[in-house]
Coordinates of all heavy atoms in Angstrom, one line a residue:
D28 N 29.4 50.1 228.4 CA 30.5 50.9 229.0 C 30.0 52.4 229.0 O 30.8 53.3 229.5 CB 31.8 50.9 228.2 CG 31.6 51.3 226.7 OD1 30.6 51.2 226.1 OD2 32.7 51.8 226.2
K29 N 28.8 52.7 228.7 CA 28.3 54.1 228.7 C 27.1 54.1 229.7 O 26.4 53.1 230.0 CB 27.8 54.5 227.3 CG 28.9 54.6 226.3 CD 29.8 55.8 226.6 CE 30.9 55.9 225.5 NZ 31.8 57.0 225.8
D30 N 26.8 55.3 230.2 CA 25.7 55.4 231.1 C 24.3 55.4 230.4 O 24.3 55.5 229.2 CB 25.8 56.6 232.0 CG 25.9 57.9 231.2 OD1 25.3 58.0 230.1 OD2 26.4 58.9 231.8
S31 N 23.3 55.4 231.2 CA 21.9 55.3 230.5 C 21.6 56.6 229.7 O 20.9 56.5 228.7 CB 20.9 55.1 231.6 OG 20.8 56.1 232.5
T32 N 22.2 57.7 230.1 CA 21.9 58.9 229.4 C 22.5 58.8 228.0 O 21.8 59.1 227.0 CB 22.6 60.1 230.1 OG1 22.1 60.2 231.4 CG2 22.3 61.4 229.3
W33 N 23.7 58.3 227.8 CA 24.3 58.1 226.5 C 23.5 57.1 225.7 O 23.2 57.3 224.5 CB 25.8 57.5 226.6 CG 26.5 57.5 225.3 CD1 27.3 58.4 224.8 CD2 26.4 56.5 224.3 NE1 27.8 58.1 223.6 CE2 27.2 56.9 223.3 CE3 25.7 55.3 224.2 CZ2 27.4 56.1 222.1 CZ3 25.8 54.6 223.0 CH2 26.7 55.0 222.0
N34 N 23.1 56.0 226.3 CA 22.3 55.0 225.6 C 21.0 55.5 225.1 O 20.5 55.2 224.0 CB 22.2 53.7 226.4 CG 23.5 52.9 226.4 OD1 23.9 52.5 225.3 ND2 24.1 52.6 227.5
T35 N 20.3 56.3 226.0 CA 19.0 56.9 225.7 C 19.2 57.8 224.4 O 18.3 57.8 223.6 CB 18.5 57.6 226.9 OG1 18.3 56.7 227.9 CG2 17.1 58.3 226.5
R36 N 20.2 58.5 224.4 CA 20.4 59.5 223.4 C 20.9 58.9 222.1 O 20.5 59.3 221.0 CB 21.4 60.6 223.8 CG 21.6 61.7 222.9 CD 22.4 62.8 223.4 NE 22.5 63.9 222.4 CZ 23.2 65.0 222.6 NH1 23.8 65.2 223.7 NH2 23.3 65.9 221.7
Y37 N 21.9 58.0 222.2 CA 22.6 57.5 220.9 C 22.2 56.1 220.5 O 22.2 55.9 219.3 CB 24.1 57.6 221.1 CG 24.5 59.1 221.2 CD1 25.0 59.5 222.5 CD2 24.5 59.9 220.2 CE1 25.4 60.8 222.7 CE2 24.9 61.3 220.4 CZ 25.4 61.7 221.6 OH 25.8 63.0 221.7
A38 N 22.0 55.2 221.4 CA 21.8 53.8 221.0 C 20.6 53.7 220.0 O 19.5 54.3 220.2 CB 21.5 52.9 222.2
G39 N 20.8 53.1 218.8 CA 19.8 53.0 217.8 C 19.8 54.1 216.8 O 19.1 54.1 215.8
S40 N 20.6 55.1 217.0 CA 20.7 56.3 216.1 C 21.9 56.2 215.1 O 22.9 55.5 215.4 CB 20.7 57.6 216.8 OG 21.9 57.7 217.6
T41 N 21.8 56.9 214.0 CA 22.9 56.9 213.1 C 24.2 57.6 213.7 O 24.1 58.6 214.3 CB 22.5 57.7 211.8 OG1 21.3 57.1 211.3 CG2 23.6 57.7 210.8
A42 N 25.3 56.9 213.5 CA 26.6 57.4 214.1 C 27.2 58.3 213.1 O 27.2 58.2 211.9 CB 27.5 56.2 214.3
G43 N 27.8 59.4 213.7 CA 28.7 60.3 212.8 C 28.1 61.6 212.5 O 26.9 61.8 212.6
T44 N 29.0 62.5 212.1 CA 28.6 63.8 211.6 C 29.4 64.0 210.3 O 30.3 63.3 210.0 CB 29.0 64.9 212.6 OG1 30.4 64.8 212.9 CG2 28.3 64.8 213.9
F45 N 29.0 65.1 209.6 CA 29.7 65.3 208.3 C 30.7 66.4 208.5 O 30.5 67.5 209.1 CB 28.7 65.7 207.2 CG 27.8 64.6 206.8 CD1 26.6 64.4 207.3 CD2 28.3 63.8 205.8 CE1 25.8 63.3 206.9 CE2 27.5 62.7 205.3 CZ 26.3 62.5 205.9
I46 N 32.0 66.1 208.0 CA 33.0 67.0 208.0 C 33.6 67.0 206.6 O 34.1 66.1 206.2 CB 34.1 66.7 209.1 CG1 33.5 66.8 210.4 CG2 35.3 67.7 209.0 CD1 34.4 66.3 211.6
D47 N 33.6 68.2 205.9 CA 34.0 68.3 204.5 C 33.5 67.2 203.6 O 34.2 66.7 202.7 CB 35.6 68.3 204.5 CG 36.2 69.5 205.1 OD1 35.6 70.6 205.1 OD2 37.3 69.4 205.7
G48 N 32.2 66.8 203.8 CA 31.6 65.8 203.0 C 31.8 64.4 203.4 O 31.1 63.5 203.0
Y49 N 32.7 64.2 204.4 CA 33.0 62.8 204.9 C 32.2 62.6 206.2 O 32.0 63.5 206.9 CB 34.5 62.7 205.2 CG 35.4 62.6 204.0 CD1 36.1 63.8 203.7 CD2 35.6 61.5 203.3 CE1 37.0 63.8 202.6 CE2 36.5 61.5 202.2 CZ 37.2 62.7 201.8 OH 38.0 62.7 200.8
V50 N 31.8 61.3 206.4 CA 31.3 60.9 207.7 C 32.4 60.8 208.7 O 33.4 60.1 208.4 CB 30.5 59.6 207.5 CG1 29.9 59.2 208.9 CG2 29.3 59.8 206.6
S51 N 32.3 61.4 209.8 CA 33.3 61.3 210.9 C 32.6 60.7 212.1 O 31.5 61.2 212.5 CB 33.8 62.7 211.2 OG 34.7 62.6 212.3
I52 N 33.1 59.7 212.7 CA 32.6 59.0 213.8 C 33.6 59.0 215.0 O 34.7 58.5 214.8 CB 32.1 57.6 213.5 CG1 31.1 57.6 212.4 CG2 31.6 56.9 214.7 CD1 30.7 56.2 211.8
R53 N 33.2 59.5 216.1 CA 34.1 59.6 217.2 C 33.9 58.4 218.1 O 32.8 58.1 218.6 CB 33.9 60.9 218.0 CG 34.9 61.1 219.1 CD 34.8 62.5 219.7 NE 35.3 63.5 218.7 CZ 36.6 63.8 218.6 NH1 37.5 63.2 219.2 NH2 36.9 64.7 217.7
I54 N 35.0 57.7 218.4 CA 35.0 56.5 219.3 C 36.0 56.6 220.3 O 37.2 56.8 220.0 CB 35.2 55.2 218.4 CG1 34.1 55.0 217.4 CG2 35.3 54.0 219.4 CD1 34.4 53.8 216.5
N55 N 35.5 56.7 221.6 CA 36.4 56.8 222.7 C 37.4 58.0 222.6 O 38.6 57.8 222.8 CB 37.2 55.5 223.0 CG 36.2 54.3 223.3 OD1 35.2 54.6 223.8 ND2 36.7 53.2 223.0
G56 N 36.8 59.1 222.1 CA 37.6 60.3 222.0 C 38.5 60.5 220.8 O 39.1 61.5 220.6
M57 N 38.4 59.5 219.9 CA 39.2 59.5 218.6 C 38.3 59.6 217.4 O 37.3 58.8 217.4 CB 40.1 58.4 218.5 CG 40.9 58.3 217.2 SD 42.6 58.1 217.6 CE 43.3 58.1 215.9
A58 N 38.6 60.5 216.5 CA 37.7 60.7 215.3 C 38.2 59.7 214.2 O 39.4 59.7 214.0 CB 37.7 62.1 214.8
W59 N 37.3 59.0 213.6 CA 37.5 58.1 212.5 C 36.6 58.5 211.3 O 35.5 58.9 211.5 CB 37.3 56.7 212.9 CG 38.1 56.1 214.0 CD1 37.8 56.3 215.3 CD2 39.3 55.5 213.9 NE1 38.8 55.7 216.1 CE2 39.8 55.2 215.2 CE3 40.1 55.1 212.8 CZ2 40.9 54.5 215.4 CZ3 41.3 54.4 213.0 CH2 41.7 54.1 214.4
F60 N 37.1 58.3 210.1 CA 36.3 58.5 209.0 C 35.4 57.2 208.9 O 35.8 56.1 209.1 CB 37.1 58.6 207.7 CG 37.7 60.0 207.5 CD1 39.1 60.1 207.4 CD2 36.9 61.1 207.5 CE1 39.6 61.3 207.2 CE2 37.5 62.4 207.4 CZ 38.8 62.5 207.2
G61 N 34.2 57.4 208.4 CA 33.2 56.3 208.3 C 33.7 55.3 207.3 O 33.5 54.1 207.5
H62 N 34.4 55.7 206.2 CA 34.9 54.7 205.3 C 36.0 53.8 205.9 O 36.1 52.7 205.5 CB 35.3 55.3 204.0 CG 36.3 56.5 204.0 ND1 36.0 57.7 204.5 CD2 37.6 56.5 203.7 CE1 37.1 58.4 204.4 NE2 38.1 57.7 203.9
Q63 N 36.8 54.4 206.8 CA 37.8 53.6 207.4 C 37.1 52.6 208.3 O 37.5 51.4 208.4 CB 38.7 54.5 208.3 CG 39.6 55.4 207.6 CD 40.3 56.4 208.6 OE1 39.7 57.0 209.4 NE2 41.7 56.4 208.4
L64 N 36.1 52.9 209.1 CA 35.5 52.0 210.0 C 34.6 51.0 209.2 O 34.6 49.8 209.6 CB 34.5 52.8 210.9 CG 35.2 53.8 211.8 CD1 34.1 54.5 212.7 CD2 36.2 53.1 212.7
A65 N 34.1 51.3 208.0 CA 33.4 50.4 207.2 C 34.4 49.3 206.8 O 34.1 48.1 206.7 CB 32.8 51.0 206.0

Side-chain angles (χ1 to χ4, degrees):
D28 63 330
K29 297 290 186 181
D30 62 23
S31 61
T32 303
W33 188 96
N34 282 303
T35 299
R36 184 172 181 183
Y37 295 108
S40 65
T41 302
T44 58
F45 288 95
I46 298 176
D47 291 330
Y49 292 98
V50 175
S51 176
I52 300 173
R53 187 168 289 278
I54 298 174
N55 298 333
M57 175 131 183
W59 297 88
F60 285 121
H62 56 285
Q63 292 174 309
L64 297 178

